[in-house]
């Protein structure tokens, strides 16, 4: 392959294949990273991106092996002994992991994590010198209060923990840093800060960076080159700008299209059908063939090679030259703007009225989750409730379905006082349960693992005072959420995240509610699946005239789905208005900060489309 | 990323797949338990002699072709007594483990799911029970009431409830905040139904695994009481009883009189422990 080209190549990966026993996890992969360069490895869950990164850093879990070669300035890394790795790790190759809450040792003070790394350096044998260095390093990642070094991880926020982790992975000034989803678990505004710190540290050191992410916007905004991984195969490599403005592979194109835009509302998101296969199942063919609109016989005959089609641009698509025009046209078409949202008549009677509710969680430290929040939702209206973790947005949603009881204030649903479900007449309570339903965030525990899909839906139907043929109705519900009747026999463990979330939606729909409270319904899903589910919500809105309360931290999701937006910050509504108005002309400083923290890559994507 | 694993959630297929991958040691444990169960059920047919048949003319004897494991002071056949002893070694512990968990499941569900003052009440009672020297209490109570196998079983059963309640409660607390419970609540499904249909099936594997482990403890405890003369009636063929009756024969006479019931007891207890651990690892951990 012609990938290992220039002499400035710093890290060269040649035919690196990860497998577990006879199970293929990634197919042979080759790429290179130059000194000081930033490479993004983009892929959905199951693409093998994390294990590829771990293979490079020699951190594969037991039983998983890597074949092929990883060369750091000509020195072979794959197969090094643990002792040799110890000399390299931290100093030359360093890794930053995803979850800030489990990454730090809970019984070690924050500063100790850095101290441990510096200890071996003869320059810092002296305890005082080491302490001074720890403080200097913390300042580098934006922690100016040296007392933080004495805190335990549980006393730190996610952003703080991630800073400490970043400082310790940079402590020995590595020449290449592999960051595996370093900001995914953090709030949007914190995400932006961490990425800035990472960028700055990289520039100061001339360090190379491999950023593993599922977030295309992030990849395009900070990386020089992007490598797209799908089901264990590299499908495309190219410069961020080129790939963002005109992808060569149908999968990259689909991924870009299914990413909701934060700046404009489209009529319908382009969703790729189906789900990511396991690498093992698509070894002898184009990995994307089963989901591709342009698939031909030869795509399935053998695995296509990664070929250079333009300077520095590689794709594994056999048909790229013929379909490039279609791919570009599709991207133009997808940007067709949805009709403007009609303003609601001012005298409309709201279906839901929340009036100055507060919620106080008593405990060792009293938490004021909601401090007098008022809100209304008209029939058929979608309201986006935006805020970061700790803003009280989930608490508000739970109050609406009676999972929490507000401390003070009023909730009125269809004229019924619903602030305390327990105190209601049984008839009224049953009526409310059928009127408002909720869809939860985590698709993996939203369904009872011991119940089949059919049993879950049947239970819900019975609550909705259903009479008639249960099986027929279950089949109809499943069709409505885009699944087939066969799913009734399946159990949650057999389903993907997107499918589970659809079942959870069907369960809520079974009682024919008029308001659906959706608490981060797509945040745990892959981009392509996220687009499918968002489209489903759009369809349900039209077909059933449902009202929605979308609780989310993702402004792009709100832009696509909500009519009106309510911004919640530390338990208070700080801004409210139509989506266009709030997102285009934010008034409150917090909203401004929120909007500023969206990675700017959409410029690439849309800039090109506007040409 | 997690490793891709075969998606196979069908319970029967899952169970059979796990069974096929059972380690040898656990398989052996199952064999031991099966043998003990068969001894208990088929004792009248497979034991060569009546376990209480006294042959004072024979007295203590070492193993011979006729009496494979020899006899005790009263000339009773050790093999027959050991085989018959399997039934008291199984029934009592089974009743204790299952009964204690039946009560503990109810208490644990109430405490874990309802919370509030019910939780406080139940858990303070549990703390109180844990504060008592339970073995001593059992000995005193059984001693005062007058012993007997079923009294010992009943007292041990109650002594096992507190720790089992803690296990069930913590399992319930783990399930309770899951969205599927929230979903059931927001559908307006009644509390008893949520407990019965949603929570119990999800904590059942934990209960089953701990029943096996509890069984082993109950077996040893019950045998201990029998050894002290507080369990079974004098004369009954029982492993713990045999230990105490034949302890004088260990160094002179017939050592098998104690070694055989002791090994049977240890093997059964270890086997049940292994099975419990394995169930726990496979279906929960």
């Amino acid at each position: 392959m012609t990938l290992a080209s220039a002499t400035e190549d710093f890290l060269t990966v040649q035919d690196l294949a990860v497998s577990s026993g006879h199970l293929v996890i990634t197919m042979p992969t080759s790429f290179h990273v130059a000194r000081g360069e930033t490479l993004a490895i983009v892929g959905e869950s199951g693409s093998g991106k994390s294990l590829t990164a771990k293979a490079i850093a020699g951190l594969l879990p037991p039983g998983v092996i890597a074949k092929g070669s990883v060369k750091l300035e000509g020195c072979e890394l794959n197969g090094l002994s643990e002792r040799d790795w110890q000399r390299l790790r931290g100093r030359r190759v360093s890794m930053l992991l995803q979850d800030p809450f489990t990454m730090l040792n809970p019984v070690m003070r924050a500063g100790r994590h850095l101290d441990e790394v510096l200890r071996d350096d003869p320059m810092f044998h002296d305890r005082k010198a080491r302490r001074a260095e720890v403080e200097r390093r913390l300042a580098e990642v934006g922690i100016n209060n040296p007392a933080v070094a004495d805190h335990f991880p549980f006393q730190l926020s996610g952003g703080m923990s991630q800073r400490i982790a970043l400082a310790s992975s940079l402590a020995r000034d590595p020449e290449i840093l592999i960051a595996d989803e370093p900001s995914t678990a953090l709030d949007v505004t914190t995400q932006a800060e961490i990425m800035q710190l990472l960028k700055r540290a990289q520039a100061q050191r001339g360090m190379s960076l491999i950023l593993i992410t599922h977030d295309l916007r992030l990849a395009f905004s900070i990386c020089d080159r992007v490598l797209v991984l799908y089901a264990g195969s590299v499908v495309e490599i190219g410069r961020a700008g080129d790939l963002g403005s005109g992808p060569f592979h149908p999968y990259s194109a689909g991924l870009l299209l299914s990413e909701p835009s934060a700046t404009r509302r489209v009529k319908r998101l382009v969703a790729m059908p189906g789900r990511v296969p396991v690498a093992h199942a698509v070894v002898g063919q184009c990995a994307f063939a089963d989901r591709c609109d342009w698939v031909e016989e030869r795509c399935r005959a053998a695995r296509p090679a990664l070929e250079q089609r333009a300077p520095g641009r590689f794709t594994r698509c056999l048909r790229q030259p013929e379909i490039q025009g279609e791919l570009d046209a599709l991207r133009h078409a997808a940007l067709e703007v949805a009709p403007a949202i009609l303003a609601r008549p001012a005298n409309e009677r709201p279906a839901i009225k929340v009036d100055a509710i507060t919620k106080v969680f008593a405990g060792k430290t009293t938490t004021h989750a909601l401090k007098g929040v008022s809100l209304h939702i008209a029939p058929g209206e979608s309201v986006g409730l935006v805020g970061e973790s700790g803003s009280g947005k989930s608490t508000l949603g739970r109050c609406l379905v009676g999972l929490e009881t507000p401390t003070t204030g009023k909730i009125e649903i269809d004229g019924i006082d619903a602030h305390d479900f327990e105190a209601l007449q049984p008839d009224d309570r049953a009526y409310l349960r059928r009127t408002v339903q909720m869809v939860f965030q985590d698709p993996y525990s939203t369904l009872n693992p011991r119940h089949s899909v059919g049993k879950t839906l049947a239970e819900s139907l019975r609550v909705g005072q259903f009479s008639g043929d249960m099986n027929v109705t279950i089949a109809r519900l499943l069709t409505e959420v885009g699944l087939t009747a066969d799913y009734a026999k399946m159990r949650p463990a057999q389903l993907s995240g997107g499918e589970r979330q659809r079942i959870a939606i069907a369960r809520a729909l079974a009682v024919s509610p008029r308001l659906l409270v959706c608490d981060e319904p797509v945040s745990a899903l892959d981009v392509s699946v996220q687009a499918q589910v968002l489209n489903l919500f759009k369809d349900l809105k039209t077909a059933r005239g449902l009202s929605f309360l979308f609780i989310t931290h993702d402004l792009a999701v709100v832009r696509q789905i909500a009519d009106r937006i309510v911004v919640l910050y530390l338990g208070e509504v700080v801004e409210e208005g139509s989506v266009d108005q709030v997102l285009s002309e934010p008034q409150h400083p917090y909203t401004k900060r929120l909007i500023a923290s969206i990675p700017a890559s959409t410029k690439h994507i849309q800039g090109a489309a506007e040409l | 990323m997690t490793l891709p694993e075969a998606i196979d959630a069908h319970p029967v297929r899952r169970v059979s797949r796990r069974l096929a991958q059972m380690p040898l040691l656990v398989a052996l444990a199952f064999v031991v338990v099966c043998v003990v169960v068969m001894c208990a059920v088929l004792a009248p047919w497979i034991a060569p002699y009546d376990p209480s048949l006294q042959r004072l003319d024979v007295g203590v004897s070492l193993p011979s072709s006729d009496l494979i494991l020899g006899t005790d002071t009263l000339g009773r056949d050790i093999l027959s007594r050991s085989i018959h002893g399997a039934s008291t070694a199984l029934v009592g512990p089974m009743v204790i483990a299952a009964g204690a968990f039946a009560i503990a499941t109810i208490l644990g569900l109430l405490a874990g799911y309802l919370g509030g003052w019910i939780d406080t009440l139940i858990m303070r009672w549990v703390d109180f029970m844990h504060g008592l020297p339970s073995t001593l209490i059992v000995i005193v109570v059984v001693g005062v009431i007058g012993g007997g196998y079923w009294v010992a079983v009943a007292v041990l059963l109650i002594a096992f409830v507190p720790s089992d309640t803690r296990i069930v409660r913590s399992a319930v607390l783990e399930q309770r905040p899951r969205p599927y419970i929230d979903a059931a609540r927001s559908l307006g499904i009644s509390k008893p139904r949520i407990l019965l249909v949603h929570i119990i099936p999800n904590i059942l594997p934990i209960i089953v695994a701990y029943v096996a482990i509890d069984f082993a403890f109950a077996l040893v405890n019950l045998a201990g009481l029998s050894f002290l003369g507080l369990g079974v009636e004098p004369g009954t063929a029982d492993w713990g009883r045999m230990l105490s009756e034949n302890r004088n024969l260990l160094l002179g006479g017939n050592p098998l009189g104690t070694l055989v019931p002791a090994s049977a007891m240890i093997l059964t207890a270890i086997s049940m422990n292994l099975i419990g651990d394995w169930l726990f690892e496979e279906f929960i951990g």
Side-chain angles (χ1 to χ4, degrees):
Chain A
M1 235 173 285
T2 50
L3 285 173
S5 49
T7 43
E8 83 263 21
D9 284 352
F10 175 59
L11 181 87
T12 312
V13 174
Q14 193 72 46
D15 295 328
L16 182 72
V18 183
S19 61
S20 166
H22 62 281
L23 207 67
V24 175
I25 296 172
T26 69
M27 295 295 285
T29 301
S30 304
F31 58 90
H32 63 93
V33 183
R35 200 177 269 280
E37 189 191 29
T38 310
L39 174 77
I41 300 186
V42 175
E44 297 180 278
S45 52
S47 62
K49 56 188 191 302
S50 284
L51 284 172
T52 302
K54 287 193 170 139
I56 296 171
L59 288 171
L60 284 177
V64 181
I65 41 169
K67 287 197 187 101
S69 129
V70 179
K71 282 202 170 102
L72 188 72
E73 286 188 316
C75 155
E76 179 61 51
L77 298 184
N78 192 17
L80 279 188
S81 70
E82 197 52 29
R83 174 182 285 188
D84 290 334
W85 262 119
Q86 244 168 43
R87 282 187 293 110
L88 283 175
R89 280 200 201 115
R91 237 181 287 265
R92 304 206 68 185
V93 183
S94 193
M95 194 152 180
L96 180 63
L97 298 171
Q98 175 174 9
D99 186 354
F101 296 101
T102 55
M103 199 161 41
L104 300 179
N105 184 337
V107 298
M108 261 162 68
R109 291 178 196 274
R112 252 311 273 298
H113 289 88
L114 271 160
D115 186 282
E116 284 292 310
V117 188
L118 296 169
R119 200 168 275 261
D120 294 341
D121 193 327
M123 241 173 87
F124 303 117
H125 273 335
D126 176 49
R127 184 190 291 248
K128 271 207 192 106
R130 217 156 57 215
R131 174 76 193 192
E133 181 67 9
V134 166
E135 281 172 20
R136 194 181 72 77
R137 297 286 182 159
L138 287 182
E140 190 194 15
V141 293
I143 301 177
N144 292 314
N145 177 10
V148 173
D150 297 319
H151 286 345
F152 281 102
F154 73 89
Q155 295 169 302
L156 304 173
S157 65
M160 275 300 199
S161 306
Q162 192 60 292
R163 280 163 207 257
I164 304 278
L166 177 60
S168 35
S169 57
L170 292 175
R172 281 181 176 173
D173 302 311
E175 291 164 83
I176 181 161
L177 177 70
I178 303 170
D180 187 359
E181 304 263 15
S183 61
T184 308
L186 305 173
D187 276 322
V188 199
T189 48
T190 323
Q191 260 179 21
E193 287 164 21
I194 291 285
M195 291 321 298
Q196 269 166 17
L197 284 173
L198 196 55
K199 258 332 243 186
R200 206 175 61 206
Q202 183 195 13
Q204 280 169 358
R205 291 172 166 77
M207 175 178 79
S208 305
L209 175 66
I210 299 181
L211 177 73
I212 316 280
T213 181
H214 69 281
D215 188 340
L216 289 169
R217 271 187 233 131
L218 186 69
F220 286 120
S221 69
I222 74 161
C223 295
D224 303 319
R225 282 192 308 134
V226 174
L227 180 155
V228 183
L229 208 57
Y230 180 79
S233 284
V234 178
V235 295
E236 183 167 359
I237 306 179
R239 274 188 294 277
D242 295 343
L243 213 157
S245 57
F248 274 3
H249 195 282
Y251 173 67
S252 325
L255 208 53
L256 282 168
L257 286 175
S258 46
E259 177 93 25
S261 154
T263 50
R264 63 171 78 199
R265 187 193 189 95
V266 297
K267 231 177 186 163
R268 202 175 164 74
L269 292 161
V270 179
M272 282 177 269
R275 66 196 218 194
V276 185
V278 291
H280 197 70
V282 289
V283 166
Q285 61 173 65
C286 168
F288 191 58
D290 296 336
R291 297 171 80 186
C292 185
D293 290 336
W294 293 275
V295 65
E296 274 187 354
E297 208 44 53
R298 56 186 172 136
C299 300
R300 297 188 205 269
R303 182 167 180 259
L306 192 62
E307 282 171 32
Q308 184 157 10
R309 294 280 159 74
R313 300 198 58 184
F314 300 83
T315 176
R316 211 180 275 283
C317 183
L318 291 171
R319 303 195 60 200
Q320 182 268 327
E322 340 161 22
I323 64 172
Q324 192 57 46
E326 281 180 67
L327 287 179
D328 291 343
L330 201 65
R331 289 162 35 68
H332 285 276
L335 290 173
E336 188 187 338
V337 179
I341 304 149
L342 294 176
R344 303 224 149 233
N347 56 357
E348 195 176 29
R349 200 166 150 267
I352 313 280
K353 232 171 91 182
V354 175
D355 196 14
I357 63 166
T358 64
K359 176 72 189 176
V360 180
F361 289 105
K364 270 185 195 145
T365 51
T366 315
T367 317
H368 295 268
L370 295 171
K371 304 171 191 161
V373 173
S374 300
L375 182 85
H376 63 272
I377 304 169
E381 191 184 27
S382 297
V383 175
L385 185 62
V386 178
E388 58 191 13
S389 51
S391 62
K393 58 189 195 304
S394 290
T395 309
L396 178 58
R398 293 171 65 85
C399 284
L400 285 180
V401 291
L403 290 173
E404 302 281 356
T405 305
T407 314
T408 61
K410 255 178 73 181
I411 297 177
E412 205 183 291
I413 299 171
D414 258 1
I416 300 172
D417 175 15
H419 88 278
D420 185 357
F421 273 55
E422 298 296 320
L424 285 169
Q425 297 294 320
D427 282 355
D428 281 350
R429 187 162 60 222
Y431 175 79
L432 287 182
R433 298 287 194 200
R434 291 198 302 273
T435 308
V436 188
Q437 272 301 308
M438 188 155 178
V439 174
F440 299 87
Q441 173 174 14
D442 179 7
Y444 296 95
S445 54
T446 194
L447 302 176
N448 187 334
R450 306 257 156 201
H451 288 188
S452 69
V453 167
K455 189 169 176 187
T456 296
L457 295 181
E459 181 176 53
S460 190
L461 281 170
R462 273 193 293 271
V463 166
Q465 297 176 335
F466 169 81
S467 54
D469 190 336
M470 198 65 104
N471 289 334
V472 172
T473 316
I474 289 175
R476 209 198 59 223
L477 273 172
L478 286 170
T479 322
E480 193 175 354
V481 295
L483 301 173
T484 56
D486 312 336
Y487 278 81
K489 287 195 261 346
M490 296 202 200
R491 278 175 190 267
Q494 291 165 280
L495 307 176
S496 70
E499 287 166 334
R500 289 181 207 206
Q501 207 58 303
R502 285 171 193 267
I503 304 290
I505 295 167
R507 172 179 60 194
L509 293 177
V511 297
S512 312
R514 278 183 286 152
L515 171 74
L516 214 51
V517 176
C518 302
D519 190 357
E520 303 270 12
V522 294
S523 68
L525 305 177
D526 278 322
V527 195
S528 66
V529 180
Q530 181 177 322
Q532 293 170 5
V533 175
L534 286 178
N535 280 338
L536 172 63
F537 281 130
K538 285 190 175 199
D539 295 343
L540 289 175
K541 195 183 166 197
T542 346
R544 287 196 175 227
L546 277 175
S547 306
F548 283 99
L549 181 67
F550 272 98
I551 301 170
T552 179
H553 67 279
D554 190 339
L555 293 176
V557 166
V558 172
R559 170 72 90 174
Q560 299 309 323
I561 206 94
D563 308 334
R564 208 150 50 76
I565 188 170
V566 176
V567 183
L568 209 57
Y569 181 59
L570 300 177
E572 281 173 288
V573 175
V574 295
E575 192 159 357
E576 188 176 353
S578 79
V579 170
D580 292 332
Q581 186 194 333
V582 173
L583 293 185
S584 314
E585 299 151 31
Q587 299 299 316
H588 192 272
Y590 174 70
T591 322
K592 287 182 183 164
R593 202 145 56 84
L594 210 57
I595 289 166
S597 62
I598 301 170
S601 83
T602 29
K603 276 197 296 245
H604 284 298
I605 302 172
Q606 276 153 17
E610 276 156 12
L611 288 176
Chain B
M1 197 199 99
T2 46
L3 289 179
E5 75 180 89
I7 297 167
D8 188 3
H10 196 272
V12 176
R13 246 183 298 149
R14 194 181 63 176
V15 168
S16 58
R17 188 163 51 87
R18 300 270 167 89
L19 285 179
Q21 294 165 355
M22 195 190 327
L24 183 66
L25 200 61
V26 179
L28 280 176
F30 270 107
V31 171
V32 169
V33 172
C34 284
V35 168
V36 175
V37 170
M38 276 169 53
C39 285
V41 176
L42 303 174
W45 295 279
I46 57 174
Y49 298 98
D50 176 350
S52 17
L53 176 70
Q54 301 184 1
R55 282 189 286 187
L56 296 171
D57 54 321
V58 179
V60 187
S61 71
L62 281 169
S64 62
S65 57
D66 190 23
L67 301 154
I68 300 169
L69 299 176
T71 56
D72 64 7
T73 8
L74 297 174
R76 293 177 296 193
D77 178 33
I78 301 289
L79 177 63
S80 303
R81 287 183 73 72
S82 297
I83 292 175
H84 275 273
S87 74
T88 55
L90 281 184
V91 175
M94 208 62 244
V95 171
I96 294 170
F101 257 106
I103 300 173
T105 303
I106 296 170
L107 293 178
L109 279 171
L110 292 177
Y113 191 78
L114 298 180
W117 64 268
I118 296 178
D119 185 28
T120 312
L121 195 73
I122 292 173
M123 293 323 286
R124 290 306 77 79
W125 174 76
V126 165
D127 290 342
F128 172 75
M129 291 292 282
H130 272 292
L132 300 176
S134 58
T135 320
L136 196 65
I137 300 277
V138 170
I139 292 171
V140 170
V141 171
V142 176
V144 168
I145 299 180
Y149 186 65
W150 290 108
V151 174
V153 167
V155 173
L156 276 176
L157 193 155
I158 294 168
F160 271 60
V161 170
S163 58
D164 294 353
T165 304
R166 275 204 179 143
I167 290 163
V168 175
R169 176 176 175 268
S170 68
V172 174
L173 286 180
E174 200 192 328
Q175 299 296 324
R176 200 194 130 97
R178 301 255 164 107
Y180 75 88
I181 300 292
D182 278 346
R185 283 173 64 203
S186 58
L187 278 170
I189 289 164
S190 68
K191 272 177 195 163
R193 195 175 150 80
I194 289 182
L195 289 176
L196 222 63
V197 179
H198 289 278
I199 292 189
I200 288 188
N202 282 293
I203 62 171
L204 206 57
I206 297 187
I207 295 178
V208 170
Y210 272 106
V211 162
I213 293 168
D214 263 15
F215 176 94
F217 280 108
L219 170 65
V220 174
N221 273 317
L222 201 55
L225 285 179
S226 296
F227 181 84
L228 295 174
L230 296 170
V232 295
E233 314 293 329
T236 316
D238 172 89
W239 295 346
R241 192 90 210 173
M242 285 172 77
L243 278 185
S244 103
E245 284 168 357
N246 300 338
R247 63 184 190 275
N248 298 328
L249 307 179
L250 188 59
L251 296 177
N254 183 3
L256 292 177
T258 46
L259 291 184
V260 171
S263 329
M265 205 151 63
I266 292 169
L267 271 178
T268 314
I270 291 180
S271 300
M272 285 307 284
N273 245 321
L274 279 173
I275 293 171
D277 279 348
W278 176 77
L279 284 173
F280 191 83
E281 298 259 317
E282 282 302 296
F283 296 95
I284 303 145

